Amino acid sequence: MASVLAYENLVHAVAGAVGSVTAMTLFYPLDTARLRLQVDEKRKSKTTHMVLLEIIKEEGLLAPYRGWFPVISSLCCSNFVYFYTFNSLKAIWVKGQHSTTGKDLVVGFVAGVVNVLLTTPLWVVNTRLKLQGAKFRNENIVPTNYRGVFDAFRQIVRDEGLLSLWNGTFPSLLLVFNPAIHFMFYEGLKRQLLKKRKKLSSLDVFIIGAVAKAIATIVTYPMQTIQSILRFGHHRLNPENRTLGSLRNIFYLLHQRIRRFGFMGLYKGLEAKLLQTVLTAALMFLVYEKLTAATFTVMGLKSTHKH
């Protein structure tokens, strides 16, 4: 129990949250472009910069930052939960020995499941707030009218039932492999580099973070597209099957997408997503590594996590 409540885990969790918020804020417009490309199928523009220019022209200069605050708050909670769980589990399981890639993957997976179950309602609300007031090309999308985070929670529970806050949980659980794969490659690449040199430079950490995230994103992107559509929940879809998170609906949506846009339809918005996640993840890990190192130095602690 002491190792779960250890001060070090708190440092890791806070550093992870701060790192992700810094990175997400910087690259947020790329995420806006990615979400529009995933959800609004009728949009003609294919490239990230064209979509961003269209959004600015039609909806104003600040439109790419729409929904920033709820996203940042959720990201903060989400990453705090993830880093705290990851480092607590690692401390309990590894207990001072050297960690292995397999252990990193399992710990990453469990941390991800805990994170998804606790934070999915926040992400459902986020997706809706982010797309509220957007000028869609797809007339099948029903507009929403939420006054803020709490009002969105209230309206969703009132109109769609409590469980709709967990819309997209099933693909999210499958997507737990994304951070797990990310962490596994990140820790593995880091171990390989540390064999060759004593200390990693900022550039090393940035590149390792970027490569690891790119691999994880490409592997899991089709599920992310389905997850966005489910979280948005305002497509008039598959009327006889309203349980949006079900496996049948995931297959239905995948099938629809491939039928209408071909296999590459599953990868719509990938360019924006890759740009955003790779840069965000790399910067997040850089801030995270620097912050934990600085905090441990200031507090006179040696990090007991053996990488």
Side-chain angles (χ1 to χ4, degrees):
M1 189 63 188
S3 55
V4 174
L5 297 171
Y7 170 75
E8 276 181 53
N9 294 334
L10 189 64
V11 173
H12 280 287
V14 172
V18 172
S20 61
V21 166
T22 310
M24 186 55 156
T25 301
L26 203 56
F27 304 119
Y28 190 82
L30 292 170
D31 197 52
T32 302
R34 181 267 317 169
L35 191 57
R36 293 295 177 90
L37 282 164
Q38 282 180 327
V39 171
D40 193 4
E41 294 131 345
K42 300 263 168 76
R43 197 171 273 283
K44 293 281 183 283
S45 299
K46 296 283 187 286
T47 60
T48 309
H49 67 279
M50 286 306 293
V51 171
L52 280 173
L53 285 172
E54 267 178 19
I55 293 170
I56 290 167
K57 201 167 82 186
E58 291 173 13
E59 301 167 36
L61 197 60
L62 290 177
Y65 273 92
R66 179 184 284 124
W68 173 83
F69 185 72
V71 168
I72 289 302
S73 342
S74 305
L75 197 67
C76 226
C77 298
S78 189
N79 275 287
F80 187 90
V81 170
Y82 190 84
F83 276 90
Y84 198 96
T85 315
F86 184 85
N87 285 291
S88 302
L89 289 171
K90 205 166 160 180
I92 294 164
W93 194 14
V94 177
K95 286 209 175 84
Q97 307 151 1
H98 281 284
S99 187
T100 62
T101 306
K103 281 184 180 176
D104 285 338
L105 185 65
V106 173
V107 169
F109 189 79
V110 176
V113 170
V114 171
N115 186 18
V116 163
L117 295 174
L118 289 177
T119 62
T120 291
L122 290 170
W123 292 113
V124 169
V125 167
N126 271 329
T127 306
R128 305 243 184 139
L129 287 172
K130 210 170 164 180
L131 292 167
Q132 183 165 280
K135 291 185 168 52
F136 290 114
R137 304 284 190 276
N138 188 351
E139 61 284 349
N140 283 340
I141 293 174
V142 191
T144 58
N145 183 24
Y146 305 128
R147 286 193 300 275
V149 177
F150 294 111
D151 186 52
F153 271 117
R154 198 177 53 78
Q155 281 196 46
I156 293 168
V157 172
R158 187 191 66 202
D159 302 337
E160 299 165 50
L162 187 66
L163 284 180
S164 62
L165 285 172
W166 273 270
N167 272 354
T169 300
F170 197 81
S172 299
L173 286 172
L174 296 178
L175 281 169
V176 163
F177 282 112
N178 184 311
I181 293 166
H182 182 196
F183 257 73
M184 181 184 79
F185 274 102
Y186 177 77
E187 295 281 343
L189 288 165
K190 198 161 103 178
R191 269 194 292 275
Q192 291 307 313
L193 271 182
L194 283 170
K195 283 178 188 168
K196 297 189 182 89
R197 57 192 85 171
K198 274 212 166 63
K199 208 163 160 284
L200 296 181
S201 70
S202 299
L203 185 65
D204 291 334
V205 173
F206 192 85
I207 290 169
I208 292 171
V211 170
K213 192 61 183 180
I215 296 167
T217 301
I218 291 165
V219 170
T220 56
Y221 193 77
M223 261 304 135
Q224 293 186 30
T225 301
I226 301 305
Q227 181 196 46
S228 293
I229 295 168
L230 287 173
R231 279 178 178 170
F232 185 42
H234 281 265
H235 281 65
R236 298 186 176 95
L237 111 170
N238 205 7
E240 77 283 357
N241 189 4
R242 285 300 302 150
T243 51
L244 278 172
S246 76
L247 193 56
R248 244 174 81 196
N249 243 319
I250 289 170
F251 286 126
Y252 172 80
L253 285 167
L254 283 169
H255 177 245
Q256 285 287 87
R257 198 86 176 174
I258 293 169
R259 212 181 65 199
R260 290 174 63 188
F261 304 106
F263 184 70
M264 290 318 286
L266 295 175
Y267 282 91
K268 256 185 109 175
L270 177 66
E271 175 201 2
K273 182 68 179 173
L274 267 181
L275 266 174
Q276 182 246 330
T277 45
V278 167
L279 293 171
T280 302
L283 187 59
M284 179 191 84
F285 271 113
L286 185 58
V287 174
Y288 163 68
E289 294 284 352
K290 296 293 170 204
L291 260 180
T292 42
T295 312
F296 288 135
T297 311
V298 169
M299 304 310 285
L301 283 168
K302 270 272 172 276
S303 174
T304 57
H305 290 281
K306 298 240 174 100
H307 291 295

